[in-house]
Amino acid sequence: MSLSTETIKSIKETTPLVQKNAEKITTRMYKILFSDYPQTKELFANAEKDQHKKLAGAIAAFASNIDNLEVLFPAVQKMAQTHVSTKVLPIHYPMVGDSLIRAISDTLGDAFTTEYKEAWIEAYNFLGDILMKREQELYAQK
Ligand code: HEM
């Protein structure tokens, strides 16, 4: 599976705005995640205080390398390892996805059109599938 040309175009068009607002978006994302999905809170119990920056960095890197995903593979490996050590499971992905998309929407307002929103959902699911697959392999090795 790969992302469609339309999706890549939409992600590229929104990358500057998302990057510019990355910290705001991630702060909002955690607010939504922890209030609507409190069961995820314990996973972040030992989170470093620069976690916001890391997630913002991952979103920005993902966005800017959307059509060159090999560049992201070392980052995917590191994310998967961290996720496995903090016990992230596939059930958590829709929770983070919903919180992230709503956070982008709240932050960008009307600039985040339906078309852009659909592209981000598709891209999140795409990256999520790659991460879940790698995480499943790592869990199986334990
Ligand atoms: C496509 C989806 C996701 C992306 C791009 C992503 C990205 C990241 C990144 C970049 C890190 C830092 C890794 C490191 O440098 O060690 C991280 C850590 C983490 N992520 Fe995710 N993540 C995603 C989904 C999830 C989900 C579904 C959960 C579950 C609630 C989650 C929970 C965590 C936790 C608990 C940490 C460790 C926090 C810390 O110790 O600082 N992530 N993630």
Side-chain angles (χ1 to χ4, degrees):
M1 188 199 129
S2 65
L3 292 168
S4 69
T5 321
E6 293 78 33
T7 297
I8 292 177
K9 187 168 171 273
S10 291
I11 298 289
K12 282 192 175 266
E13 280 167 9
T14 46
T15 297
L17 255 184
V18 170
Q19 275 180 331
K20 210 176 121 216
N21 294 284
E23 299 243 13
K24 234 190 217 168
I25 291 168
T26 36
T27 304
R28 177 90 190 119
M29 188 200 85
Y30 284 115
K31 208 171 254 169
I32 296 171
L33 184 67
F34 295 156
S35 66
D36 285 15
Y37 307 103
Q39 63 269 49
T40 59
K41 256 193 256 180
E42 62 179 329
L43 300 174
F44 291 89
N46 299 311
E48 295 163 29
K49 58 180 184 323
D50 64 350
Q51 171 61 17
H52 283 183
K53 279 187 196 141
K54 279 190 195 167
L55 197 65
I59 296 169
F62 175 59
S64 52
N65 289 297
I66 192 82
D67 51 3
N68 189 18
L69 287 170
E70 316 82 75
V71 174
L72 294 178
F73 276 5
V76 164
Q77 178 66 12
K78 179 131 199 290
M79 282 180 233
Q81 276 162 352
T82 304
H83 284 161
V84 167
S85 66
T86 48
K87 301 193 167 61
V88 171
L89 295 171
I91 46 159
H92 299 126
Y93 276 83
M95 302 175 191
V96 169
D98 176 54
S99 306
L100 174 67
I101 300 300
R102 281 162 59 197
I104 301 175
S105 198
D106 290 349
T107 308
L108 302 187
D110 290 346
F112 198 53
T113 63
T114 308
E115 198 184 343
Y116 288 150
K117 191 172 167 177
E118 280 166 6
W120 273 86
I121 292 170
E122 199 185 319
Y124 174 86
N125 289 335
F126 182 75
L127 184 59
D129 284 347
I130 294 172
L131 284 170
M132 280 186 272
K133 210 168 150 204
R134 186 70 197 115
E135 285 155 20
Q136 195 184 17
E137 287 168 3
L138 293 174
Y139 278 124
Q141 283 168 18
K142 283 204 158 183

